[in-house]
Amino acid sequence: MIIQDIINIDPDILGGTPVFKGTRVPVSSLFEHLENGTTIDEYIEDFPSVPRDFAIQVLEVSKISVLSLANVQSFNENPNRRKSA
């Protein structure tokens, strides 16, 4: 699944705020709820129009992005370092 399959950015929907595709639910609401201690299941109960797999996929994409940035930063700090096999 690609991110465009789960997130919609349209200037006519909430002024271009990224929302879960097929909804008017901002993606940021997922992070805000998790920061406040809400579980994924509770979030889906509160926003039943958001498919559970969409919420999970947004978290996976975020995780991959953070880990990729960390790897780039680590490489930039020590470009001569080689990974052990």
Side-chain angles (χ1 to χ4, degrees):
M1 182 177 298
I2 59 174
I3 199 70
Q4 292 86 348
D5 292 339
I6 57 174
I7 294 176
N8 187 37
I9 300 173
D10 182 336
D12 294 330
I13 301 173
L14 297 179
T17 298
V19 297
F20 288 99
K21 194 143 201 144
T23 76
R24 295 179 60 82
V25 179
V27 173
S28 61
S29 69
L30 173 61
F31 295 103
E32 291 164 1
H33 279 73
L34 293 174
E35 288 170 0
N36 290 321
T38 302
T39 67
I40 292 286
D41 290 332
E42 292 168 333
Y43 180 80
I44 298 305
E45 285 178 25
D46 290 344
F47 299 95
S49 63
V50 176
R52 180 181 174 76
D53 61 321
F54 281 21
I56 298 296
Q57 191 66 30
V58 163
L59 295 175
E60 285 295 319
V61 168
S62 299
K63 176 177 132 182
I64 290 167
S65 296
V66 168
L67 294 176
S68 295
L69 287 172
N71 286 335
V72 167
Q73 181 178 356
S74 176
F75 179 80
N76 287 338
E77 289 173 357
N78 190 356
N80 296 321
R81 187 184 80 186
R82 295 185 183 261
K83 291 187 177 182
S84 302

